[in-house]
């Protein structure tokens, strides 16, 4: 990319590579994050495609059942820890310092280390060949698996350190390095969302780190002593495997918000940019947007129990978690209506980034509403561990979060490379992606309503509706894959032969500081 | 939009951060060795990485120039507060886990009964074996640890005196008190290792029961934090020896001081919960 090569022109190739590896420039590190997460997105996406193709027909078709278990486990872990989080960190690295008028992040060298920690972490996660699901529930992950859970644990710890360093860096940058006169009330919503996300990262990360350390100690005790069940998550010693479920979801539920809050911030940014001619701060209900972000983050740390409704925690506890989760729907709804009112009366430019931001609204609303269904305890007792849950989560994550990440990727592309992407192909990518994701995950939800359990390798050939919905989902997944392929070809082709983007590739009338900078 | 090159020129490249980050992968290799039974090899790999990290800190403290105060505005040690917030959660979870296990055990049957009557929270589910939870005074050497606690509190006092000295620009005092702090911390660790040794020889190991597991987990992680704290105090003492701190610039001492007090506070809680209650 131009930015990478511009930094280091007039030097030998080795020195150029060393300069990129040792860089402390936030933009270069941001691009490294993006390249890393896009590569992982392709790998983990390929896993997902294999899962879908396997489910196209009943009976084992292309992979064995043990490979299938590895595929869905690695798909989940990689998509969350190696795609969604680094991608948000990449965009934040690229944009936050320029948005708040800082030269760089607070600790540029930590920033570099935070990125490079992801490389051994990613390697370990893939090499672990995890086959116990991304949740790694004991005793499955302590006794009954032959996969290298140690490596997965090491990967998770390294990612924890990385996102801790990244989170501290962003909090300090936004707290202290704003340009003079840029008060809290005039920050844009993307910066706000990254600030709040960083705080959740700092608060939630130690929980998972503690949990995986306990899990690993259990495995070490089993490997090195006479104990056959471990001690922290084993019921023979008087402890209980449910403890791990609490610890895991006390982190992993906030982790959902670590992924979705930056996407919300990016959506606010894109919608106000493209509906109001390049003004990033023209949003409806600014104060309520910020408060909603804060409330979602705050409540999100207290509702992990809605993943454990079927465990048998007792009805008082379930009602507490159910009520907490319902309340989260309120700030989410406020945000959705504010986005709609931001669009209302604007002069909307239907460029590709804007299309993807609108795709976020669509996916987020659908996924959010199915989430409200799942939160009703009696309904959850029926739908728990069916693919309905998978469909709900993916509607938000793929239809929403990844959509808006694609949007900001297309927005960033002309700025980072100096070339314009091919708009027709980019719009085609949008349509393939959105139609494909709605089709896939809508169909998966229907399969779940028909009782198809999650993580199942096979279904009976006489289960007609389950087969039909699975086949529709697979066709949708292939559409999504075609969309991603179009994106990859388009971005590479435009980088090599595209037309120059110029200083204002989207012809905004309103020139902010950062447009002209 | 045009890339301004002025920001790029000011950035220095450094190969240390990516190098350390990638070699942090030794953690995974070490864990693999640990769980395949080659205990010493795993520990050796972990320690060689630690040595690499210390070399990095030496290099950083001796080469990196302290930036002017106006470049790093007001919260000079604010990052330590945020970091400590995450540490609070880390220890909070460890303590919470052992607390809940203890509620399930036979030791606190009355309290568990009370919780059922008051709130309906049933920790001791029927059909589940309640964990063995021996009386702390039967297993642990409480007087020794009480002395040890006193030593750690004393080290906190010397840390306060160190910060006080540099506030008054009394550099000799800073060096002395940092030295005392590091020594007291080291004494604490040595006594803790001695205690571990005695417990192991008397047959109280992490896998003997859940009390043992949570005991070694909590005190062990606390010990690791003290060890890290000693390294930090050692390096600020090194810098103080070179005259790196003055009345106007002592945020490093303050940050390390905060960390040290936090570790001390955690110990007081652990001592109360594990040894006394």
């Amino acid at each position: 990319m131009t930015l990478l090569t511009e930094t280091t022109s007039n030097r030998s190739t080795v020195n150029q590579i060393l300069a990129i590896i040792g860089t402390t420039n936030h933009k270069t590190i941001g691009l490294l994050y993006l390249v890393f997460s896009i590569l992982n997105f392709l790998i983990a996406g390929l896993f997902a495609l294999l899962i879908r193709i396997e489910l196209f027909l009943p009976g084992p078709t292309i992979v064995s059942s043990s490979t299938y278990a590895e595929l869905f486990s690695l798909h989940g872990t990689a998509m969350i820890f190696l795609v969604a989080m680094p991608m948000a960190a990449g965009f934040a690295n690229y944009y936050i310092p320029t948005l708040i008028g800082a030269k760089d992040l607070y600790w540029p060298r930590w920033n570099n280390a935070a990125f490079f920690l992801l490389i051994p972490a990613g390697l370990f996660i893939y090499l672990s060949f995890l086959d116990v699901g991304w949740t790694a529930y004991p005793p499955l992950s302590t006794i009954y698996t032959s996969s290298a859970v140690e490596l997965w644990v090491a990967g998770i710890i390294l990612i924890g350190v990385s996102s801790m360093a990244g989170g501290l860096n962003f909090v300090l940058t936004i707290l202290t390095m704003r340009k003079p006169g840029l008060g809290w009330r005039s920050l844009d919503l993307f910066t706000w969302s990254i600030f709040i996300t960083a705080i959740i990262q700092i608060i939630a990360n130690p929980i998972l780190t503690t949990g995986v350390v306990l899990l690993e100690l259990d495995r070490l005790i089993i490997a090195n002593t006479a104990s056959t069940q471990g001690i922290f998550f084993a019921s023979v010693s008087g402890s209980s495997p449910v403890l791990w479920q609490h610890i895991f979801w006390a982190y992993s539920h906030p982790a959902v918000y670590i992924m979705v809050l930056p996407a919300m911030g990016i959506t606010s940014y894109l919608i106000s940019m493209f509906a109001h001619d390049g003004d990033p701060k023209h949003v409806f209900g600014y104060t309520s947007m910020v408060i909603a972000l804060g409330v979602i983050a705050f409540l999100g740390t207290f509702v992990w129990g809605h993943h454990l409704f079927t465990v048998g925690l007792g009805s008082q506890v379930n009602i507490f978690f159910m009520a907490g989760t319902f309340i989260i729907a309120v700030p989410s709804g406020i945000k959705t209506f504010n986005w709609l009112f931001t669009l209302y009366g604007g002069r909307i430019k239907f460029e590709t980034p804007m299309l993807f931001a609108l795709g976020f609204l669509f996916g987020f609303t659908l996924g959010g509403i199915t989430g409200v269904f799942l939160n009703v305890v009696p309904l959850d007792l029926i739908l728990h561990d069916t693919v309905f849950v998978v469909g709900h989560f993916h509607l938000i994550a793929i239809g929403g979060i990844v959509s808006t990440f694609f949007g900001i990727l297309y927005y960033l592309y002309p700025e980072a490379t100096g070339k314009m992407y091919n708009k027709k192909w980019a719009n085609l990518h949008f349509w393939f992606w959105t139609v494909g994701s709605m089709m896939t995950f809508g169909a998966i939800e229907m399969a779940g309503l028909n009782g198809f359990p999650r993580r199942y390798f096979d279904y009976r050939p006489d289960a007609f509706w389950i087969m039909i919905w699975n086949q529709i989902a697979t066709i949708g997944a292939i559409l999504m894959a075609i969309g991603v392929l179009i994106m990859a070809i388009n971005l590479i082709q435009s980088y090599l032969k595209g037309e120059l983007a110029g200083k204002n590739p989207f012809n905004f009338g309103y020139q902010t500081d950062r447009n002209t900078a | 939009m045009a890339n301004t090159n002025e920001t790029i020129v000011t950035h220095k490249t450094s190969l240390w951060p990516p190098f350390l980050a990638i070699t942090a992968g030794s953690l995974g290799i070490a864990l693999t060795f640990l769980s395949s039974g080659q205990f010493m090899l795993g520990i050796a790999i972990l320690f060689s990485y630690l040595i690499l990290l210390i070399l990095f800190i030496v290099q950083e403290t001796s080469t990196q120039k302290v930036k002017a105060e106006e470049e790093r505005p007001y919260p000079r040690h604010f990052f330590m507060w945020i970091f400590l917030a995450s540490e609070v959660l880390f220890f909070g979870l460890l303590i919470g886990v052992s607390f809940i296990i203890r509620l399930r055990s036979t030791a606190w049957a009355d309290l568990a009964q009370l919780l059922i009557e008051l709130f309906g929270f049933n920790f001791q589910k029927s059909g589940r074996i309640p964990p063995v939870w021996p009386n702390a005074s039967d297993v642990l050497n409480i007087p020794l640890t009480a002395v040890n606690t006193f030593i750690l509190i004393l080290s906190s006092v010397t840390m306060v005196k160190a910060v006080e000295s540099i506030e008054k620009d009394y550099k000799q005092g800073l060096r002395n008190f940092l030295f005392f702090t590091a020594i007291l911390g080291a004494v604490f660790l040595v006594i803790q290792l001695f205690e571990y040794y005695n417990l192991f020889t008397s047959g109280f190991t992490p896998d003997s029961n859940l009390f043992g597991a949570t005991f070694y987990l909590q005190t062990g992680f606390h010990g690791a934090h003290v060890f890290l704290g000693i390294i930090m105090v050692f390096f600020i003492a090194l810098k103080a020896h070179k005259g790196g701190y003055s009345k106007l610039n002592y945020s490093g001492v303050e940050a390390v001081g905060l960390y040290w007090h936090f570790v001390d506070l955690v110990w007081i809680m652990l001592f109360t919960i594990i040894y006394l209650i």
Side-chain angles (χ1 to χ4, degrees), chain A residues 137-260:
Chain A
Y137 279 5
L140 183 60
S141 58
T142 47
I143 307 168
Y144 299 107
T145 179
S146 55
S147 62
V149 180
E150 295 80 36
L151 286 181
W152 180 78
V153 166
I156 297 296
I157 292 176
L158 292 181
I159 285 171
V161 176
S162 158
S163 67
M164 192 73 201
L168 268 175
N169 226 340
F170 281 116
V171 168
L172 289 170
T173 310
I174 296 170
L175 267 180
T176 65
M177 294 169 79
R178 282 167 287 142
K179 67 185 169 206
L182 187 68
W184 286 106
R185 290 189 62 85
S186 49
L187 277 184
D188 62 298
L189 284 172
F190 181 38
T191 312
W192 262 114
S193 71
I194 291 298
F195 182 68
I196 292 169
T197 309
I199 290 175
I200 318 178
Q201 275 184 352
I202 293 165
I203 291 175
N205 249 313
I207 304 176
L208 186 66
T209 309
T210 321
V212 291
V213 166
L214 295 182
L215 188 75
E216 181 53 29
L217 286 175
D218 253 10
R219 285 182 62 87
L220 289 183
I221 285 173
I222 293 168
N224 292 315
T225 67
S227 168
T228 53
Q229 289 226 358
I231 193 146
F232 291 106
F233 303 126
S235 42
V236 278
S237 62
S239 182
S240 151
V242 178
L243 185 60
W244 164 262
Q245 301 185 15
H246 277 293
I247 293 175
F248 183 81
W249 287 113
Y251 166 77
S252 291
H253 194 74
V256 174
Y257 294 101
I258 294 175
M259 289 183 283
V260 82

Side-chain angles (χ1 to χ4, degrees), chain A residues 297-381:
Chain A
F298 179 75
L299 288 175
T301 44
F302 294 105
V303 295
W304 74 88
H306 62 225
H307 297 267
L308 310 175
F309 280 160
T310 54
V311 169
L313 301 176
S315 52
Q316 295 96 331
V317 182
N318 279 355
I319 286 168
F320 168 77
F321 284 125
M322 181 170 84
T325 316
F326 276 140
I327 296 172
I328 293 188
V330 176
S332 309
I334 290 174
K335 291 195 79 72
T336 311
F337 281 110
N338 282 355
W339 285 317
L340 292 178
F341 282 115
T342 307
L343 288 168
Y344 182 76
R347 284 190 290 141
I348 303 174
K349 282 177 192 284
F350 285 104
E351 299 275 353
T352 320
M354 183 59 167
L355 289 178
F356 275 111
L358 296 176
F360 172 88
L361 288 189
F362 200 57
F364 180 71
T365 310
L366 279 180
I369 288 172
T370 49
V372 176
F373 295 171
L374 276 175
N375 184 40
V376 183
V377 175
L379 201 57
D380 184 76
L381 294 181

Side-chain angles (χ1 to χ4, degrees), chain B residues 25-39:
Chain B
S26 57
L27 176 69
I29 299 161
L31 282 184
T32 316
F33 279 124
L34 284 180
S35 58
S36 62
Q38 283 157 308
F39 216 78

Side-chain angles (χ1 to χ4, degrees), chain B residues 120-178:
Chain B
F121 290 147
N122 191 357
F123 287 95
Q124 295 180 323
K125 296 234 160 63
S126 59
R128 194 184 280 158
I129 317 143
V132 184
W133 202 275
N135 216 342
S137 53
D138 297 342
V139 184
L140 306 170
N141 187 350
I142 293 177
L144 177 73
T145 317
V147 172
N148 217 1
T149 310
F150 180 68
I151 289 172
L152 202 61
I153 293 172
L154 215 59
S155 79
S156 235
V157 173
T158 55
M159 196 74 211
V160 171
K161 295 301 274 183
V163 178
E164 236 173 45
S165 319
I166 193 65
E167 271 172 355
K168 294 174 194 151
D169 220 6
Y170 176 39
K171 289 174 184 166
Q172 181 61 39
L174 173 71
R175 289 198 288 269
N176 289 347
F177 282 119
L178 285 181

Side-chain angles (χ1 to χ4, degrees), chain A residues 22 24 104 106 109 124 503, chain B residues 1 11-12 14 25 60 72:
Chain A
T24 50
D104 206 310
Y106 196 85
R109 288 153 74 105
F124 287 148
K503 287 203 167 189
Chain B
M1 281 144 257
H11 289 98
K12 281 186 186 167
S14 160
E60 282 287 279
R72 292 286 160 92

Side-chain angles (χ1 to χ4, degrees), chain B residues 193-211:
Chain B
L193 284 178
F194 175 71
E195 184 197 6
Y196 274 15
Y197 175 75
N198 279 343
L199 289 175
F200 264 86
T201 45
S202 66
F204 181 65
T205 56
D207 57 338
S208 44
N209 50 41
L210 268 171
F211 176 64

